[in-house]
Amino acid sequence: MRMYEDGGARRAGRSLWVEEESPRRRLPDPVRDSAVRAVLIVAVTLTEATIAFLLMVTGSWLALPMALCGIAGTVVATWAVLDVLITRQMWNQRHGVVSQPSSTARARRREARASVPARGGRIRQQQAEAAGRAAAWQAAAGDRRYQPGAGRG
């Protein structure tokens, strides 16, 4: 068996099966599952529609039930195609697919933030100057809800 994989010669490192990078990434599993399901449903619906048309042409009594099945199949096929679109959108939102331009813009904003010292708001600046240390959130003096021992009695 090994001789067929190596092309008949005993050269090391060369095999018949070579993995090549695909130009597009593989679809996520839930999206691929819904796409396969949609393709099968659409194929069955088209087959039903063709059979219904041929039965109508021949004048068979089965034409009406097949036409009704074709209409129901069209509704189900439309739902299946919408399911693919919705599943794809949900996957992109949940798993953080980031497009290249936005990630580039995000990196530039991060660099700009790093070069400018953090200032905070006017109140935080006043508190930092009064305390002589880095700005931290402090509750107003008259508000007991945010004092360290508040609520414990």
Side-chain angles (χ1 to χ4, degrees):
M1 189 75 169
R2 179 59 112 168
M3 91 177 179
Y4 295 113
E5 291 178 2
D6 292 336
R10 295 281 179 198
R11 292 177 287 199
R14 185 166 191 277
S15 66
L16 184 62
W17 186 266
V18 178
E19 291 271 339
E20 293 183 8
E21 288 296 320
S22 175
R24 292 181 58 172
R25 289 193 329 241
R26 178 176 159 157
L27 284 174
D29 288 338
V31 178
R32 193 172 57 250
D33 291 345
S34 64
V36 168
R37 188 171 42 245
V39 166
L40 291 174
I41 291 171
V42 167
V44 168
T45 302
L46 288 174
T47 304
E48 280 181 354
T50 304
I51 292 171
F53 174 75
L54 292 174
L55 288 173
M56 269 190 255
V57 169
T58 59
S60 174
W61 64 273
L62 286 172
L64 180 63
M66 283 302 291
L68 294 176
C69 287
I71 291 170
T74 302
V75 171
V76 173
T78 304
W79 181 261
V81 171
L82 285 175
D83 181 46
V84 174
L85 298 175
I86 292 168
T87 307
R88 182 174 172 261
Q89 184 65 29
M90 282 176 44
W91 178 268
N92 287 341
Q93 287 177 352
R94 287 183 182 170
H95 298 283
V97 175
V98 180
S99 65
Q100 200 63 6
S102 68
S103 61
T104 303
R106 200 170 289 129
R108 287 185 183 166
R109 275 184 294 185
R110 210 174 287 129
E111 291 171 7
R113 261 187 267 132
S115 65
V116 176
R119 296 183 319 182
R122 187 184 73 218
I123 296 173
R124 286 188 184 169
Q125 284 179 352
Q126 291 172 354
Q127 289 173 351
E129 291 169 5
R133 56 187 168 81
W137 182 83
Q138 295 175 356
D143 195 351
R144 290 188 34 82
R145 291 180 296 177
Y146 299 105
Q147 298 302 320
R152 297 185 199 113

